[in-house]
Amino acid sequence: MIIEKSLRYPIGKPEVEWFSDKGPFNVAAKEEHLSEVGACPSIIENAVFNLTQDQLNVPYREGGWTSRQVVHHVADSHMNAYVRFKLTLTEDSPIVKSYEESAWAELSDSKILPVSVSLDLLRALHSRWLAIMKNMTADDWERTFYHPSLGRAVRLWDMLGTYAWHGKHHAAQISNLRDRMGWIEKKYLK
């Protein structure tokens, strides 16, 4: 079971539960998190660089998603996060829509589209998302939305910490698969 845990969470689980309290707003932590979110498209691209179509269709662990599904999942998840940020910045405590990420990963776009589609989307999406986040005030980071699946309010500050971890987490799943399978060297991007 320990091996399974390391395959599923190669960089460890988030410090605290998904979307839970990440502590008080902190400018230094914000800058680090923004840097990590900004690097996400490149680290995902680096993880899948030069993988063949057959390699992209190998699950990163038994019972897990394929690398192709992981890349499309990151795009799906980050699109939802971006929309949640915009709703929260423009409405008072909006109720956001939950989605079944496992069901989304089984849809045909996640199973057959080239990963380049989601890599392009991630680059554009993160440019827009970062443009918003870099200009948010301390008060903006305290704004909340209501998440029906969690049954509670979530601060944008807590979301930032979660998504700083999220991209690195999924890139590591793919990179660890590459290493275990002995597949070609990765390209290191900035």
Side-chain angles (χ1 to χ4, degrees), residues 30-31 34-35 38 129-137 141:
K30 178 192 82 166
E31 293 304 321
L34 289 177
S35 176
W129 195 11
L130 284 168
I132 290 171
M133 291 191 294
K134 287 179 178 178
N135 291 293
M136 288 172 58
T137 67
W141 289 107

Side-chain angles (χ1 to χ4, degrees), residues 11 40 43-44 74 78 162-172:
I11 65 168
C40 176
I43 65 169
I44 296 292
V74 172
H78 291 209
T162 295
Y163 279 91
W165 171 85
H166 190 251
K168 296 184 300 186
H169 161 70
H170 285 301

